Every structure is written in C-alpha cells, then in structure tokens.
Amino acid sequence: LPSLKDHQVKWIIEAGLGPLFWFASQKDSGTEDSPLLIDLKAADLTTRLINRIQLETLGEILGRCVGLMPPITLLKGSSTGSELYPEPHLRVMRDLDLLVDAEAQPKLESILLEMGFRQQSTNSQEFYATHHHSMPFYHGERGVWVEVHRGLFPPSNELAQLPVFSPGNIRAELRPSWLRGIPVMRLSTELQIVYTASHWALELKRAGGVFGL
C-alpha cells in the first residue's frame, strides 16, 4: 500500500477489488502510515455491509424454496464467495444469480414477488423471452438484485453451443452443497473456472468484470 499512488488505489476501489486488497495488505509493513488507509478500510466495511444484506436475502429466498422445488444452483459470486474465498465479501456481488430448471422458474419468481421484489429493466419482456434469464428482480428496501437463470449463456450465443456448457454436462458437473444449513447445488470448481473465464472472453469490463479474478 505505501508504494501506491492515490489514483491507483482509487482504480482498485472502483474496480471492486478494495476489500481484497485490504485483506491482502494487512501484513504489509507501513500500511498503518498510509493516508490511503481510510479509503480502503471504508471500501471494505461498505462491501461487508452490502454482502451481509445480500447473503441474508439469499438465505431467506432459499429457505422459502425448501420443499417446493429441487435445491437451487448458486452461480457466480453467490456460490464462489461463500465457498472459495477466505471471507464471502471479498467476492463483490452486484446481484444474486440463481439457476433453476424451467419447471421451477415460475415458482421461484412467485416467491420473489411475495418477498417484495419487482421486475425492472431497460430491456423489454420480449428481449428476456429468448435470454438465459428472466427480467431481473429488484427489492427497493434491501437494494438487492436477483437474476433467475435457466441457462449459463443466451441460447443464441456461440458459447452456449459448446459441449462444456450443454445442459447434460452442466447437470453432470453440479455438486450438492449447503448454504446456511440449506441444501443447494454448485458448479464443480473446474466448470466454475471455465464459466468465469468465458465471461472474461466475451467482454472484460473493469466494473464487475474483475470481481471473479
């Protein structure tokens, strides 16, 4: 940290890597003397709070689904943050990505509506009819977004045509797991790496794109 300039730390925070950098720099000598310390610590605390609200909301969603549908498959940060990171908030999340079979999708969406979520997007309903997830759900009081996926990529995308992302292979690579005492499914670690890397290959965005680093 002492060797970095102000604009570099600002870039790190804006890219969503503030908490991870704060975690990694705790053992650095001279960190406590850096004037940038407050900004990094603020980024860490802010993300901790947002992440806690997201995970509490996820736990409530999963709890309401128990007995009504097969275990939900967690995708992206909702899966990797709670499984592969030393602390869940180090994997910053913009939304909760949940994968279900087409038959279970209406029930899950009904539960989200009962919880106070509402669908909103700048895209039309027609756009989402051929997309890999339905129109995103947003809870105004919690500030939480949820995407209900029926696939990993849009059917028209060339990645969706690859054998590794075929429905059969995805099913074969699902692993039973738990989140807060509730049964869930996760992608195997190997498929998780391929899935993350494929998003990078499609479009590497600074804000959001580096979350899965």
Side-chain angles (χ1 to χ4, degrees):
L1 181 60
S3 66
L4 295 181
K5 297 183 174 16
D6 181 75
H7 74 275
Q8 293 173 314
V9 173
K10 183 179 293 186
W11 188 96
I12 288 171
I13 293 173
E14 290 177 352
L17 297 178
L20 194 62
F21 190 85
W22 170 253
F23 178 83
S25 65
Q26 293 303 292
K27 297 179 181 180
D28 288 352
S29 59
T31 297
E32 63 279 359
D33 300 323
S34 172
L36 304 172
L37 183 70
I38 294 178
D39 290 341
L40 269 181
K41 193 168 185 179
D44 180 77
L45 291 173
T46 301
T47 306
R48 282 179 185 272
L49 175 60
I50 294 172
N51 181 264
R52 180 171 181 175
I53 295 171
Q54 289 172 320
L55 290 181
E56 287 177 351
T57 301
L58 177 57
E60 184 177 344
I61 294 170
L62 296 174
R64 289 177 178 239
C65 292
V66 172
L68 300 178
M69 65 184 71
I72 289 175
T73 299
L74 306 180
L75 296 178
K76 303 180 184 178
S78 61
S79 177
T80 59
S82 59
E83 182 183 34
L84 304 177
Y85 285 70
E87 297 179 32
H89 79 289
L90 298 179
R91 171 50 164 96
V92 177
M93 295 188 294
R94 290 185 295 186
D95 51 28
L96 304 174
D97 295 278
L98 310 177
L99 176 66
V100 294
D101 291 333
E103 307 81 59
Q105 182 180 344
K107 185 59 183 177
L108 174 55
E109 294 184 346
S110 175
I111 289 172
L112 291 174
L113 292 172
E114 291 172 2
M115 291 177 60
F117 283 87
R118 294 294 178 264
Q119 287 182 285
Q120 60 185 71
S121 172
T122 56
N123 295 314
S124 66
Q125 284 286 5
E126 290 72 24
F127 170 83
Y128 289 103
T130 57
H131 205 47
H132 62 303
H133 62 74
S134 57
M135 183 179 288
F137 289 78
Y138 180 68
H139 197 291
E141 293 182 4
R142 305 178 194 224
V144 176
W145 289 89
V146 175
E147 289 184 356
V148 179
H149 288 247
R150 46 185 173 260
L152 300 186
F153 296 100
S156 60
N157 189 284
E158 59 182 347
L159 287 173
Q161 313 306 318
L162 297 177
V164 69
F165 294 125
S166 67
N169 191 62
I170 292 173
R171 285 193 296 271
E173 292 296 322
L174 293 180
R175 303 289 182 263
S177 184
W178 300 85
L179 184 74
R180 300 192 169 196
I182 301 173
V184 296
M185 302 296 287
R186 303 177 193 264
L187 302 180
S188 67
T189 306
E190 293 82 2
L191 184 57
Q192 192 71 254
I193 292 172
V194 176
Y195 182 41
T196 300
S198 297
H199 272 281
W200 277 47
L202 278 176
E203 184 178 11
L204 180 56
K205 299 178 181 178
R206 184 188 69 166
V210 297
F211 289 176
L213 178 61

